Amino acid sequence: MKNNLNIGKVASVRGSVVDIWFQENLPEIDTLLLAGKENQIKIEVFNQLNTTHVRGIALTPTQGLARGMAVTSTGKELLVPVGKTILGRMFDVFGNPIDQKEAPKEVTLKSIHQSPPPLSKRATKSEIFLTGIKAIDVLIPLERGGKAGLFGGAGVGKTVLLTEIIHNMVGHDDGISMFCGIGERCREGNELYNTMKNEDLLKDMVLLFGQMNEPPGARFRVGHAALTMAEYFRDEEHRDVLLLIDNIFRFIQAGMEVSGLMGQMPSRLGYQPTMATELAELQERIAYTDTRAITSIQAVYVPADDLTDPAAVHTFSHLSASIALSRKKASEGLYPSIDLLQSNSKMTSPEIIGKKHYKLSQKIRETLAQYEELKDIIAMLGMEQLSVKDRNVVNRARKLERFLTQPFFATEQFSGIKGKQVSLEDALDGCERILADEFKDYPESAFYMIGSIDEAKKPENKNLKSEEKMHKIDTNKEEATTQEPAVNP
């Protein structure tokens, strides 16, 4: 890249799209240009129109920009600070602190445009990434160095689940948590920052935000900036990084806006024709290398809850685990509101998670699937019309559903229930004992919002247990009297 000072002039301004004339030394693609008062307006070169003109997309508002104004080419791409001192801080896409503190010292500047690690440097082994959340660890195990998607419409709990995973991960494996907010509301960013500060979790975190009101260029690049910071901790500091992206759909949406501004022909449902390439450029940088791993969990807003939307379909192809959040589960108060049958993970194989865990997860899925099939019969005819075998399946499934709920640290102030982190061994033990009918006589309510299975044996459940047992004896007596007498041969 050219390092000499290169000055051009604004030829035209159309919203965030700026055409700039240069007499010579035409800036390269992705070069950062500075314009306006005190160089406050930052423009990234998008394409070269001819031998004298480039077209750029503004990363900041373009108010005050006029034809004929001077534009300085930095000769470099957009740079962000990396180093140990960025921990505990909150930045914008340019690496400027937005937490009302001084800029971090002892940092080096690095370009946001980096190549993904080559295949020769990637790890070939598969490892499980534990979250401390029962439903995820048992049925949808996440891959260390992989990408997991949280799919769901608005208001089903994507951000709450991400916040809980951050809480459970701090101090885990000497790791770093990195939160990247793409198109976030300022309220959500403020809440997250204060929550992390109050919980004393900021010391091992970096927060990066491209707010909803910022130009599409800034929202489009904030993901790349976050990955550059994450790659520093993985490659230079040799630490595991948990990268949380909220929301990857907003990245695609920002790309769609940039594409429209640049006059590109839209593809299906108005999405940009380059969506697959742009998403791959971001996702391929998230990897488990021979140093350490970047593990990513991404919230994916699904427009109108339609999983066949191109944004959801393209994102699916990059993921090793898909966690589908259900509005129906949320309305029933079953949190985390994960649709356990719609969710899946490529890690669920006996070679990776072990034969015992695999068989148990298949048995749980089978029980829940049978219950799903019986729901229509129950709705029309009631539980009484089911066979004893089917009734047992329903009881097991309903207890499993409730056992796989969990009180979150992130929601303590709202629910008044103390958050719990559950080990994989305790979660598997609980599911196994429910399927073995050890808790057949316990009420369903005993399993709701508990940690390990032994919490279901609280003293207050004893009375309910005996009442339910008496009811079962009466029901069995009625069944015995209604059966036809055996005919002697």
Side-chain angles (χ1 to χ4, degrees), residues 255-297:
M256 184 162 60
E257 288 180 53
V258 169
S259 173
L261 287 166
M262 287 295 164
Q264 292 178 341
M265 183 70 75
S267 180
R268 186 171 157 236
L269 292 183
Y271 287 104
Q272 65 271 39
T274 52
M275 173 167 61
T277 311
E278 289 164 2
L279 191 60
E281 280 173 359
L282 188 77
Q283 300 279 15
E284 287 301 298
R285 288 172 66 181
I286 299 164
Y288 185 3
T289 67
D290 48 13
T291 50
R292 279 298 182 97
I294 296 176
T295 304
S296 175
I297 299 172

Side-chain angles (χ1 to χ4, degrees), residues 345-360:
S345 168
K346 289 173 184 168
M347 295 293 102
T348 315
S349 73
E351 293 79 30
I352 298 169
I353 59 174
K355 285 183 181 176
K356 184 191 173 190
H357 184 170
Y358 176 74
K359 283 181 181 173
L360 187 60

Side-chain angles (χ1 to χ4, degrees), residues 198-246:
N198 296 339
E199 296 276 347
D200 194 31
L201 304 178
L202 271 182
K203 61 183 183 293
D204 288 317
M205 270 195 82
V206 183
L207 294 96
L208 206 75
F209 285 99
Q211 281 175 223
M212 204 174 247
N213 64 321
E214 289 183 39
R219 284 181 272 127
F220 189 52
R221 290 301 183 209
V222 73
H224 298 278
L227 267 164
T228 300
M229 291 178 175
E231 283 165 347
Y232 165 80
F233 288 109
R234 178 191 67 193
D235 302 335
E236 307 294 325
E237 297 286 327
H238 296 246
R239 295 176 77 174
D240 275 337
V241 183
L242 174 66
L243 173 66
L244 299 120
I245 301 176
D246 188 9

Side-chain angles (χ1 to χ4, degrees), residues 83-135:
K84 289 181 183 177
T85 52
I86 68 170
L87 286 173
R89 304 299 301 274
M90 184 159 66
F91 300 97
D92 63 9
V93 68
F94 306 107
N96 300 323
I98 50 173
D99 51 8
Q100 297 174 356
K101 294 178 184 174
E102 283 182 16
K105 295 178 174 68
E106 296 172 34
V107 293
T108 51
L109 297 174
K110 207 170 174 187
S111 167
I112 66 165
H113 300 282
Q114 301 289 335
S115 301
L119 282 171
S120 57
K121 285 196 171 181
R122 292 180 186 238
T124 52
K125 56 187 174 181
S126 294
E127 287 180 32
I128 295 302
F129 181 84
L130 295 173
T131 63
I133 297 167
K134 289 182 282 192

Side-chain angles (χ1 to χ4, degrees), residues 46 66 72 92 137 141 147 158 167 183 198 251 266 277 284 330 354 361 368 392 403 437:
F46 196 84
T72 308
D92 63 9
D137 290 346
K147 297 170 271 282
K158 295 187 294 296
H167 183 282
N198 296 339
F251 168 77
T277 311
E284 287 301 298
S361 71
L368 294 172
N392 286 337
F403 176 63
D437 285 337

